[in-house]
PDB file of all heavy atoms in Angstrom:
ATOM      1  N   PRO A  28      -4.025  11.912 -11.353  1.00 93.00           N
ATOM      2  CA  PRO A  28      -3.616  12.445 -12.673  1.00 93.00           C
ATOM      3  C   PRO A  28      -2.400  11.702 -13.200  1.00 93.00           C
ATOM      4  O   PRO A  28      -1.243  12.136 -13.110  1.00 93.00           O
ATOM      5  CB  PRO A  28      -3.220  13.937 -12.325  1.00 93.00           C
ATOM      6  CG  PRO A  28      -2.823  13.886 -10.918  1.00 93.00           C
ATOM      7  CD  PRO A  28      -3.686  12.807 -10.238  1.00 93.00           C
ATOM      8  N   GLU A  30      -0.690   8.897 -16.253  1.00 94.00           N
ATOM      9  CA  GLU A  30      -0.689   8.393 -17.621  1.00 94.00           C
ATOM     10  C   GLU A  30      -0.138   7.008 -17.553  1.00 94.00           C
ATOM     11  O   GLU A  30       0.970   6.807 -17.027  1.00 94.00           O
ATOM     12  CB  GLU A  30       0.087   9.269 -18.563  1.00 94.00           C
ATOM     13  CG  GLU A  30       0.094   8.790 -19.998  1.00 94.00           C
ATOM     14  CD  GLU A  30       0.997   9.636 -20.872  1.00 94.00           C
ATOM     15  OE1 GLU A  30       1.164  10.857 -20.569  1.00 94.00           O
ATOM     16  OE2 GLU A  30       1.457   9.064 -21.903  1.00 94.00           O
ATOM     17  N   LEU A  41       3.682   4.194 -14.689  1.00 96.00           N
ATOM     18  CA  LEU A  41       2.738   5.281 -14.401  1.00 96.00           C
ATOM     19  C   LEU A  41       3.517   6.554 -14.449  1.00 96.00           C
ATOM     20  O   LEU A  41       4.552   6.714 -13.728  1.00 96.00           O
ATOM     21  CB  LEU A  41       2.096   5.062 -13.024  1.00 96.00           C
ATOM     22  CG  LEU A  41       1.275   3.775 -12.880  1.00 96.00           C
ATOM     23  CD1 LEU A  41       0.744   3.647 -11.441  1.00 96.00           C
ATOM     24  CD2 LEU A  41       0.080   3.717 -13.810  1.00 96.00           C
ATOM     25  N   HIS A  42       3.029   7.562 -15.233  1.00 96.00           N
ATOM     26  CA  HIS A  42       3.722   8.846 -15.375  1.00 96.00           C
ATOM     27  C   HIS A  42       2.759   9.864 -14.815  1.00 96.00           C
ATOM     28  O   HIS A  42       1.573   9.723 -14.899  1.00 96.00           O
ATOM     29  CB  HIS A  42       3.999   9.107 -16.848  1.00 96.00           C
ATOM     30  CG  HIS A  42       5.052   8.147 -17.367  1.00 96.00           C
ATOM     31  ND1 HIS A  42       6.366   8.582 -17.591  1.00 96.00           N
ATOM     32  CD2 HIS A  42       4.991   6.868 -17.768  1.00 96.00           C
ATOM     33  CE1 HIS A  42       7.043   7.559 -18.104  1.00 96.00           C
ATOM     34  NE2 HIS A  42       6.240   6.544 -18.233  1.00 96.00           N
ATOM     35  N   ASP A  43       3.339  10.965 -14.354  1.00 94.00           N
ATOM     36  CA  ASP A  43       2.509  12.131 -13.914  1.00 94.00           C
ATOM     37  C   ASP A  43       2.104  12.978 -15.097  1.00 94.00           C
ATOM     38  O   ASP A  43       2.461  12.674 -16.298  1.00 94.00           O
ATOM     39  CB  ASP A  43       3.252  12.956 -12.839  1.00 94.00           C
ATOM     40  CG  ASP A  43       4.446  13.722 -13.360  1.00 94.00           C
ATOM     41  OD1 ASP A  43       4.746  13.762 -14.556  1.00 94.00           O
ATOM     42  OD2 ASP A  43       5.196  14.245 -12.517  1.00 94.00           O
ATOM     43  N   GLY A  44       1.347  14.002 -14.836  1.00 90.00           N
ATOM     44  CA  GLY A  44       0.855  14.894 -15.950  1.00 90.00           C
ATOM     45  C   GLY A  44       1.881  15.592 -16.713  1.00 90.00           C
ATOM     46  O   GLY A  44       1.639  16.041 -17.856  1.00 90.00           O
ATOM     47  N   GLU A  45       3.079  15.658 -16.179  1.00 92.00           N
ATOM     48  CA  GLU A  45       4.244  16.280 -16.890  1.00 92.00           C
ATOM     49  C   GLU A  45       5.067  15.322 -17.624  1.00 92.00           C
ATOM     50  O   GLU A  45       6.109  15.657 -18.176  1.00 92.00           O
ATOM     51  CB  GLU A  45       5.059  17.103 -15.908  1.00 92.00           C
ATOM     52  CG  GLU A  45       4.304  18.220 -15.206  1.00 92.00           C
ATOM     53  CD  GLU A  45       5.147  18.892 -14.144  1.00 92.00           C
ATOM     54  OE1 GLU A  45       6.343  18.803 -14.123  1.00 92.00           O
ATOM     55  OE2 GLU A  45       4.522  19.573 -13.290  1.00 92.00           O
ATOM     56  N   GLY A  46       4.653  14.043 -17.622  1.00 94.00           N
ATOM     57  CA  GLY A  46       5.407  12.997 -18.322  1.00 94.00           C
ATOM     58  C   GLY A  46       6.513  12.304 -17.544  1.00 94.00           C
ATOM     59  O   GLY A  46       7.242  11.522 -18.065  1.00 94.00           O
ATOM     60  N   ARG A  47       6.679  12.687 -16.262  1.00 95.00           N
ATOM     61  CA  ARG A  47       7.773  12.128 -15.495  1.00 95.00           C
ATOM     62  C   ARG A  47       7.319  10.739 -14.998  1.00 95.00           C
ATOM     63  O   ARG A  47       6.216  10.519 -14.560  1.00 95.00           O
ATOM     64  CB  ARG A  47       8.115  12.973 -14.249  1.00 95.00           C
ATOM     65  CG  ARG A  47       8.668  14.316 -14.625  1.00 95.00           C
ATOM     66  CD  ARG A  47       8.906  15.139 -13.361  1.00 95.00           C
ATOM     67  NE  ARG A  47       7.606  15.396 -12.723  1.00 95.00           N
ATOM     68  CZ  ARG A  47       7.414  16.213 -11.769  1.00 95.00           C
ATOM     69  NH1 ARG A  47       8.424  16.776 -11.150  1.00 95.00           N
ATOM     70  NH2 ARG A  47       6.217  16.427 -11.221  1.00 95.00           N
ATOM     71  N   LEU A  49       6.754   7.955 -12.527  1.00 96.00           N
ATOM     72  CA  LEU A  49       6.490   7.879 -11.049  1.00 96.00           C
ATOM     73  C   LEU A  49       6.762   6.461 -10.584  1.00 96.00           C
ATOM     74  O   LEU A  49       7.419   6.256  -9.590  1.00 96.00           O
ATOM     75  CB  LEU A  49       5.062   8.271 -10.764  1.00 96.00           C
ATOM     76  CG  LEU A  49       4.666   9.708 -11.028  1.00 96.00           C
ATOM     77  CD1 LEU A  49       3.175   9.932 -10.761  1.00 96.00           C
ATOM     78  CD2 LEU A  49       5.489  10.701 -10.215  1.00 96.00           C
ATOM     79  N   VAL A  91      11.054  12.113  -7.091  1.00 91.00           N
ATOM     80  CA  VAL A  91       9.950  12.634  -7.874  1.00 91.00           C
ATOM     81  C   VAL A  91       8.761  12.833  -6.889  1.00 91.00           C
ATOM     82  O   VAL A  91       8.326  11.815  -6.286  1.00 91.00           O
ATOM     83  CB  VAL A  91       9.528  11.727  -9.044  1.00 91.00           C
ATOM     84  CG1 VAL A  91       8.344  12.283  -9.804  1.00 91.00           C
ATOM     85  CG2 VAL A  91      10.710  11.454  -9.939  1.00 91.00           C
TER      86      VAL A  91
END
Side-chain angles (χ1 to χ4, degrees):
E30 181 182 334
L41 300 176
H42 294 256
D43 66 11
E45 298 174 20
R47 293 178 297 188
L49 295 175
V91 179

